[in-house]
Amino acid sequence: MFKKILIANRGEIACRVAATAKRLGVKTVAVYSDADTGAKHVAVCDEAVHIGGSAPKESYLRWDRIIEAAKATGAQAIHPGYGFLSENEEFAQACADAGLVFIGPPPSAIKDMGLKAESKQLMEKAGVPLVPGYHGANQDPALLQAEADRIGYPVLIKASAGGGGKGMRAVDKAEDFAAALDSCKREAINSFGDDAVLIEKYVQRPRHIEIQVFGDTLGNYVYLFERDCSVQRRHQKVLEEAPAPGMTPEMRAQMGLAAVAAARAVNYVGAGTVEFIVEQRDDSSAAPGRPKQASVPSGGSEPHEVWGVGGNKPVMNFFFMEMNTRLQVEHPVTEAITGQDLVEWQLRVAAGEPLPLQQDELRITGYAIEARICAENPDNNFLPATGSLNVYGLPECVTFERGAVRVDSGVRQGDAISPFYDSMVAKLIVHGDTREQALARLDEALAQTHIVGLATNVQFLRRVARTESFAKANLDTALIPREQAVLFHQESVGLPLAAAAAVAQTLLRERASEGVDPFSRRDGFHTHGVVQRRFEFEFGGEHAKAWLTYERGGCLHLAVGEGDAAVAGPLVFSAQAEGIELQFAGQRTRAAVYAQGEVDHVFTPLGATQITAIDLLAHAGEAAAEGGRLTAPMPGKVVSFAVKAGDTVTKGQPLAVMEAMKMEHTIAAPADGVVAELLYAPGDQVTEGAELLKLVIAEKA
Ligand code: ADP
Ligand code: ADP
Ligand code: MG
């Protein structure tokens, strides 16, 4: 085994690789860019080398500097992670030339699988089933159009060099082909520097099922079963799971053998993934009750016959799409169901050891699902978000031996998400005995994921996992568009609960700072009847009011909203370690509330939301300050003045105390200034908006 490796990546995958290396007693060297000077992956490695500017081109793609760093630190091997240089055959070759082990396949295998068209030619020879289509070298537009017409619409034009869901165009009819081809080629040359395309039959309602393969330097191959990555948005994976629902042992063996044949055809070594697109049959017993769909003629031999195992017809047709010659983002679900550490396998194989297990020693245990947590706004077309992770609360991880939750995260609370890199910040992986159990754990783990400071897809992921389609494993790549009505622009926590949580949080905060909340000041209460306090909120773009009443016996009564929409009832709450235990309007829940300025971020088991508490006193002060007027925020009595005419005051300094609705409110100076005049005396009753004193605001320097 290696003594020291360099990890040529960042974020969660660099941390992931470092964790296994540490467990195996292998020292690690991190590399980092300007933007990542204080990043988690730098902190978790034993050494770190700065390799350049923030843009990937200036750092994580600078393989000359990375190789230099490996040599300077005495690392024997380089783990490329995924993305960046992981599928760059020149980098793999440069490592070898420098006497370093590239922890991945040989450069020739990366090259063979690098272009979708060329890899398909190889797979065709190896007898791996392909999507009906055209993947020839001739790129004459007239010929491509003729091929598309022959295949039959809809077709998919794909950039041969494409990846990450980019460079694809679906075409529904012949008339649209030429324009789509142009636009696909333009995107391909801009994104990948190569405008060669291939054409595939567009498979209707397909599933994306991929096989994890592994090869060693001794020529052994195994497959570590499948992952279903059908839940996608814009051809990018959102939720991944293993095993694939509805998979039969026969079909698993057929796909596994096809994947091994693909790997063998390119003398593959290390971890790789063979991606298949799966056409669901109407007679599929795996998915009862599906609407009938026109079936796509396969145009060639029945693909499963090539892999006829046991004579049973597979429930689905599968076709080779591409091979990813690296460790995949979603590898943890495979680890969860096999109990194997794939990074350990990678290190062992790269060090020349044989595969740790043979095919018949591999077993599937239970069920695993992964959710990709990204800094992005699903309601705004998944626009990536940048900012700071002011709150970054994750579910408690329980080891897989005890069967539950794993978090692979590349960031810590307080870290900034910069615009330079991928928006994925963490992955949540759950395991259960059954799919149902895993799903329940996923829901709970997502509910416990509290991120404040930037937009994330956490609540969106929860909603996807809760859709009927996902719950019933009615999977295909159109799941998200099909379920869009319940996925986007949804508020899972309504105003009453959000307001109750915000009120409870305010009272708890006041109690903490004053030792006792204003409602507990019982003096005079019995003779004066009930005490009421008004709150105002911004919620979902609307203005809302709430009234809190302190009733006899010490009970709180809350009324949220006005008129018919009003929701009222007793408010009961208590502070617990995990948040506020809350009971209001027939609901009993737990709420964690994080204040960011005036915005309260409320997380409950039902979902999360934001509510802005409008501070009536502060706003009264602000508005008044413009004209140097300080007005009463509510009708009440002037208790005392803390200043007299002529006093110089500083911003925030208490000026007067008012009593309103049996509570005392301190009115503070909104800015530095000089008190010009007091307009009332202690004991005076004033109306709302009455001017209490005149303040001359100091000129800004
Ligand atoms: P990438 O290199 O971007 O990952 P892939 O070829 O793996 O490209 O395809 C990405 C996704 O696009 C697939 O997971 C699937 O959702 C969709 N897709 C690819 N090929 C087809 C096809 N022939 N028919 C329908 N959908 C497809
Ligand atoms: P996977 O197939 O492993 O699930 P994806 O298909 O989402 O991963 O993306 C393919 C890989 O390419 C991922 O490792 C991703 O981080 C990386 N990737 C995607 N887009 C970019 C990009 N613009 N720059 C660098 N790496 C990228
Ligand atoms: Mg792919």
Side-chain angles (χ1 to χ4, degrees):
M1 182 49 66
F2 307 112
K3 291 201 161 45
K4 193 191 268 189
I5 62 169
L6 181 143
I7 303 169
N9 215 300
R10 63 179 303 283
E12 69 86 20
I13 190 58
C15 299
R16 160 74 193 89
V17 172
T20 289
K22 197 181 193 93
R23 188 171 60 72
L24 298 177
V26 177
K27 294 276 180 231
T28 50
V29 181
V31 291
Y32 65 96
S33 67
D34 288 346
D36 281 339
T37 303
K40 182 178 172 190
H41 79 274
V42 173
V44 299
C45 288
D46 298 302
E47 290 170 70
V49 180
H50 177 251
I51 50 166
S54 300
K57 256 194 262 172
E58 296 168 16
S59 48
Y60 297 107
L61 294 174
R62 282 295 300 264
W63 44 269
D64 51 336
R65 292 198 186 151
I66 291 171
I67 287 173
E68 227 171 80
K71 291 172 97 171
T73 53
Q76 300 155 289
I78 298 186
H79 194 302
Y82 53 70
F84 296 129
L85 295 169
S86 61
E87 296 180 273
N88 184 319
E89 82 242 28
E90 287 176 70
F91 175 62
Q93 187 59 53
C95 288
D97 294 346
L100 297 161
V101 176
F102 175 76
I103 303 174
S108 59
I110 301 179
K111 185 168 189 299
D112 287 343
M113 289 296 188
L115 294 173
K116 293 185 203 290
E118 275 80 347
S119 71
K120 286 191 155 181
Q121 288 158 20
L122 279 172
M123 291 303 106
E124 200 164 30
K125 280 203 206 99
V128 179
L130 301 181
V131 194
Y134 171 79
H135 46 262
N138 190 334
Q139 295 285 304
D140 172 27
L143 174 106
L144 294 173
Q145 169 96 53
E147 286 293 336
D149 294 347
R150 176 187 63 80
I151 295 159
Y153 296 89
V155 298
L156 192 61
I157 310 175
K158 275 190 196 178
S160 187
K166 276 205 229 147
M168 282 193 267
R169 293 289 182 283
V171 187
D172 286 333
K173 46 188 194 300
E175 305 88 274
D176 300 343
F177 185 84
L181 179 65
D182 273 357
S183 115
C184 186
K185 280 188 174 282
R186 258 197 316 278
E187 182 172 320
I189 197 90
N190 287 335
S191 301
F192 314 109
D194 176 351
D195 72 354
V197 300
L198 59 122
I199 302 169
E200 286 179 3
K201 175 84 211 166
Y202 192 91
V203 181
Q204 307 278 351
R205 290 169 49 251
R207 279 170 75 178
H208 172 121
I209 301 181
E210 57 187 34
I211 303 284
Q212 176 71 55
V213 292
F214 241 100
D216 63 19
T217 48
L218 312 168
N220 302 309
Y221 291 95
V222 295
Y223 58 91
L224 290 93
F225 316 114
E226 77 280 4
R227 295 183 286 257
D228 192 312
C229 312
S230 300
V231 182
Q232 302 182 347
R233 49 109 174 135
R234 300 211 243 133
H235 302 300
Q236 285 180 310
K237 299 160 185 170
V238 173
L239 292 174
E240 299 112 338
E241 55 184 292
M247 180 64 84
T248 61
E250 292 77 22
M251 181 161 167
R252 175 173 295 126
Q254 289 168 10
M255 292 183 77
L257 292 176
V260 163
R264 205 186 289 277
V266 297
N267 297 311
Y268 201 81
V269 175
T273 293
V274 182
E275 296 188 331
F276 294 98
I277 190 135
V278 174
E279 182 186 2
Q280 311 198 60
R281 290 216 189 133
D282 293 340
D283 59 351
S284 163
S285 56
R290 281 229 183 76
K292 285 267 173 202
Q293 291 267 339
S295 130
V296 177
S298 75
S301 62
E302 282 285 287
H304 61 271
E305 285 169 9
V306 180
W307 308 103
V309 171
N312 275 350
K313 284 225 163 196
V315 290
M316 304 178 251
N317 288 333
F318 61 90
F319 307 105
F320 173 87
M321 243 185 331
E322 64 167 345
M323 181 169 188
N324 292 327
T325 54
R326 55 175 157 88
L327 189 68
Q328 201 99 335
V329 172
E330 57 275 22
H331 75 278
V333 292
T334 300
E335 297 184 323
I337 62 158
T338 59
Q340 302 302 310
D341 178 335
L342 297 192
V343 174
E344 177 177 347
W345 280 47
Q346 284 190 299
L347 296 181
R348 293 200 180 284
V349 163
E353 293 180 31
L355 289 173
L357 293 176
Q358 317 230 333
Q359 192 65 53
D360 59 7
E361 295 172 300
L362 285 160
R363 295 270 175 285
I364 296 178
T365 306
Y367 219 94
I369 308 175
E370 174 182 279
R372 297 190 187 197
I373 297 177
C374 298
E376 64 185 19
N377 185 352
D379 287 339
N380 189 7
N381 205 15
F382 299 97
L383 194 74
T386 56
S388 280
L389 296 162
N390 298 336
V391 176
Y392 187 61
L394 296 169
E396 197 191 334
C397 295
V398 186
T399 55
F400 281 133
E401 289 81 74
R402 285 166 56 205
V405 180
R406 161 176 165 183
V407 179
D408 281 14
S409 168
V411 293
R412 299 156 300 188
Q413 183 156 302
D415 284 353
I417 302 299
S418 74
F420 302 107
Y421 315 111
D422 208 284
S423 62
M424 194 177 79
V425 295
K427 304 180 306 202
L428 205 59
I429 306 99
V430 294
H431 185 253
D433 294 337
T434 62
R435 187 172 189 270
E436 261 180 331
Q437 194 181 54
L439 199 50
R441 286 188 172 144
L442 178 66
D443 188 61
E444 194 174 340
L446 286 168
Q448 292 170 1
T449 304
H450 299 171
I451 303 178
V452 175
L454 40 71
T456 71
N457 63 344
V458 173
Q459 298 305 315
F460 172 78
L461 290 169
R462 263 193 105 184
R463 287 195 286 269
V464 174
R466 284 175 163 210
T467 57
E468 196 175 308
S469 292
F470 194 75
K472 291 192 173 154
N474 185 1
L475 304 175
D476 61 79
T477 59
L479 187 147
I480 288 176
R482 182 169 65 243
E483 296 274 7
Q484 61 178 331
V486 294
L487 294 180
F488 298 98
H489 303 286
Q490 297 294 310
E491 200 62 79
S492 40
V493 177
L495 169 67
L497 200 56
V503 167
Q505 171 79 0
T506 303
L507 299 186
L508 287 169
R509 202 165 40 221
E510 288 172 358
R511 246 179 230 174
S513 64
E514 297 171 21
V516 65
D517 81 67
F519 290 108
S520 303
R521 290 185 212 147
R522 297 272 195 111
D523 36 339
F525 170 76
H526 295 290
T527 52
H528 287 91
V530 292
V531 177
Q532 207 175 46
R533 179 172 176 184
R534 193 180 79 192
F535 289 84
E536 289 190 22
F537 298 106
E538 288 286 331
F539 183 80
E542 307 271 320
H543 192 94
K545 288 183 182 160
W547 288 266
L548 182 68
T549 312
Y550 188 42
E551 296 181 322
R552 286 178 202 290
C555 295
L556 297 173
H557 183 274
L558 183 66
V560 181
E562 291 164 285
D564 290 348
V567 172
L571 174 68
V572 180
F573 63 89
S574 63
Q576 304 292 328
E578 326 77 59
I580 304 170
E581 285 291 336
L582 197 66
Q583 247 178 286
F584 177 62
Q587 276 184 309
R588 188 196 179 100
T589 190
R590 200 173 49 240
V593 184
Y594 306 92
Q596 300 280 300
E598 292 190 328
V599 182
D600 279 334
H601 295 256
V602 180
F603 294 84
T604 79
L606 301 169
T609 193
Q610 297 176 13
I611 183 165
T612 305
I614 300 167
D615 184 336
L616 299 173
L617 299 168
H619 282 278
E622 265 168 34
E626 281 159 28
R629 284 157 49 93
L630 271 163
T631 57
M634 45 186 65
K637 188 172 74 175
V638 178
V639 176
S640 62
F641 282 102
V643 292
K644 57 185 191 309
D647 282 2
T648 303
V649 296
T650 54
K651 183 177 176 183
Q653 181 177 335
L655 302 178
V657 177
M658 266 193 71
E659 187 189 73
M661 294 169 175
K662 295 290 174 252
M663 292 186 309
E664 285 192 352
H665 296 291
T666 300
I667 291 157
D672 295 356
V674 177
V675 177
E677 195 185 352
L678 304 183
L679 301 171
Y680 286 96
D684 287 348
Q685 286 289 337
V686 296
T687 55
E688 181 172 358
E691 192 173 7
L692 300 176
L693 56 83
K694 276 196 174 6
L695 182 69
V696 178
I697 307 285
E699 296 286 331
K700 290 232 170 68

